[in-house]
């Protein structure tokens, strides 16, 4: 089916107590692995490209690859911009055909983050495309536990942020850290629940490769509706390619190397979809038909907890 937006997908996840897996793609093999895994699990899926991935693979090439893969699939697929730290990057992705955007103003002072996020939501909503924003900051590896805590999203700021920006989902800093290679981050579940209670909108967990399985389950119960995985996929792709080269050091056909990496990525994604409760949920969309009604039809109050 054609690409869909993340709007209805995250509302369905919120209503039905699961999280949509959002998987970062860097090249063709990632795109194939993500969409094939979603098909096999009958799961809705968000395929996301970071600014780094766009620089590596090319904006139009990514859109073309993902569109073709989504159109051939029977499950709903979203193409999302991950960590767009620039207003113009968001505009370029909107124009190129992304069906979900993120403005990441987490390095900016509160008021600047609000101002630019608001500009992005205004233009994106005019085109029927939802926007994820970030409040607080999910840091990169190498930070101390004290630094992680200091950067966490403040529930008391969240309502004003969401009301002023009209963002459709919110990335929260609640204990996870980007690029962790082991699952040992501890989430502040109470904080997630509080932000969920105050804002009512779907919450997004970044840095989720480092979160424990228990953390996923508790986080989803508290209000997480989208879970971002990048590092674990990179580990899987590299692990598969290394294994293929070690198994037969004379191999020179790259398909025999990258193909094994692609299978490793697929295994990781399928396991995550089951953990997130997303497997089988594609049926919810087929039943009611997918599509985004746009701000004019779907107001902020529709996003509040029922
Ligand atoms: O935006 C992408 C994710 O937050 C990636 O997190 O490094 O833990 O996979 P990760
Ligand atoms: Zn992230």
């Amino acid at each position: 089916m054609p690409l869909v937006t993340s709007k209805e997908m995250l509302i369905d996840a919120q209503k039905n107590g699961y999280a949509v897996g959002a998987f970062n793609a860097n090249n063709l093999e990632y795109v194939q692995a993500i969409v094939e895994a979603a098909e096999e699990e009958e799961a809705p899926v968000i395929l996301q490209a970071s600014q780094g991935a766009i620089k590596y693979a090319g904006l139009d090439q990514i859109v073309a690859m993902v569109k073709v893969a989504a159109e051939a699939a029977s499950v709903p697929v979203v193409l999302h911009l991950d960590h767009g730290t620039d207003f113009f990057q968001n505009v370029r992705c909107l124009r190129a055909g992304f069906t979900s955007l993120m403005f990441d103003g987490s390095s900016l002072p509160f008021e600047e983050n609000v101002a630019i996020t608001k500009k992005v939501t205004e233009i994106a909503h005019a085109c029927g495309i939802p926007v994820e924003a970030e409040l607080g900051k999910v840091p990169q590896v190498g930070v101390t536990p004290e630094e992680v805590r200091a950067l966490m999203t403040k529930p008391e700021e969240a309502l004003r942020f969401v009301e002023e920006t009209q963002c459709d989902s919110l990335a929260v800093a609640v204990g996870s850290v980007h690029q962790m290679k082991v699952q040992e981050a501890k989430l502040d579940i109470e904080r997630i629940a509080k932000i969920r209670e105050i804002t009512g909108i779907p919450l997004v967990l970044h840095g989720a490769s480092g979160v424990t399985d228990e953390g996923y389950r508790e986080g989803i119960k508290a209000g997480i509706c989208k879970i971002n995985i990048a590092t674990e996929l990179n580990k899987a792709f590299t692990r598969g390619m290394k294994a293929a080269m070690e198994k037969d050091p004379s191999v020179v056909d790259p398909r025999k190397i990258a193909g094994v990496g692609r299978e490793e990525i697929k295994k990781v994604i399928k396991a995550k979809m089951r953990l997130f409760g997303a497997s089988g949920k594609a049926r919810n969309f087929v039943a009611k038909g997918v599509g985004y009604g746009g701000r004019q039809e779907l107001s902020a109050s529709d996003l509040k907890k029922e």
Side-chain angles (χ1 to χ4, degrees):
M1 64 175 76
L3 283 171
V4 302
T5 80
S6 56
K7 183 81 177 183
E8 286 207 348
M9 214 179 254
L10 297 186
I11 289 174
D12 188 73
Q14 189 177 52
K15 277 187 182 157
N16 294 301
Y18 68 97
V20 180
F23 302 100
N24 285 67
N26 294 313
N27 62 22
L28 173 71
E29 284 79 8
Y30 282 66
V31 173
Q32 292 172 324
I34 294 166
V35 177
E36 280 174 27
E39 282 274 52
E40 287 173 24
E41 288 298 315
E42 293 186 78
V45 72
I46 297 174
L47 189 153
Q48 51 189 22
S50 66
Q51 291 182 153
I54 291 170
K55 201 170 165 201
Y56 175 78
L59 180 60
D60 293 335
Q61 287 89 335
I62 288 179
V63 174
M65 272 194 299
V66 178
K67 268 190 179 167
V68 168
E71 274 160 21
S74 58
V75 294
V77 179
V78 168
L79 174 56
H80 175 76
L81 168 64
D82 186 34
H83 292 290
T85 52
D86 179 79
F87 171 74
F88 296 104
Q89 179 70 59
N90 269 271
V91 174
R92 282 191 290 273
C93 288
L94 181 64
R95 183 174 182 272
F98 278 57
T99 55
S100 183
L101 297 177
M102 176 183 189
F103 177 70
D104 172 2
S106 60
S107 298
L108 303 172
F110 182 87
E111 297 300 341
E112 267 180 70
N113 188 1
V114 167
I116 305 177
T117 304
K118 198 172 163 187
K119 266 177 36 170
V120 174
T121 58
E122 275 172 3
I123 56 160
H125 291 168
C127 304
I129 298 299
V131 178
E132 175 183 330
E134 181 163 336
L135 182 63
K137 184 170 181 59
V138 181
Q140 304 290 324
V141 270
V143 281
T144 63
E146 293 70 38
E147 284 166 330
V148 173
R149 185 143 281 280
L151 291 167
M152 283 189 185
T153 310
K154 296 183 177 66
E156 61 278 14
E157 287 183 347
L159 183 62
R160 183 156 82 88
F161 184 84
V162 168
E163 282 183 347
E164 288 194 20
T165 64
Q166 289 292 294
C167 62
D168 301 86
S169 59
L170 185 66
V172 286
V174 289
S176 59
V177 172
H178 284 110
Q179 290 172 351
M180 281 178 67
K181 292 188 186 139
V182 282
Q183 287 183 271
E184 58 186 25
K186 255 200 88 46
L187 297 184
D188 185 338
I189 301 295
E190 263 179 46
R191 189 178 295 258
I192 299 172
K194 198 153 188 202
I195 300 167
R196 164 74 174 83
E197 185 66 35
I198 291 172
T199 66
I201 66 169
L203 304 181
V204 181
L205 182 64
H206 281 249
S209 293
V211 173
T212 60
D213 292 355
E214 183 59 16
Y216 296 144
R217 275 189 286 272
E218 293 302 311
I220 291 167
K221 267 195 237 154
I224 296 293
C225 301
K226 171 176 179 273
I227 301 186
N228 288 10
I229 304 282
T231 303
E232 268 209 72
L233 305 190
N234 294 342
K235 273 171 59 189
F237 192 52
T238 312
R239 182 171 64 239
M241 291 198 297
K242 272 186 189 159
M245 286 188 274
E246 277 162 17
K247 195 171 166 200
D248 179 3
S250 71
V251 69
V252 291
D253 182 344
R255 293 167 298 188
K256 292 189 176 153
I257 301 168
V260 180
R262 180 175 59 196
E263 284 310 305
E264 285 301 305
I265 293 179
K266 235 173 107 173
K267 279 187 224 158
V268 170
I269 294 174
K270 290 176 72 169
K272 295 291 180 202
M273 285 170 163
R274 284 179 216 148
L275 276 170
F276 302 165
S279 296
K281 297 298 192 304
R283 293 180 211 130
N284 298 0
F285 299 86
V286 178
K288 65 181 180 203
V290 286
Y292 176 60
R295 272 280 155 187
Q296 64 280 22
E297 291 171 35
L298 209 53
S299 71
S301 59
D302 292 319
L303 300 172
K304 303 283 181 206
K305 193 176 180 182
E306 286 187 344

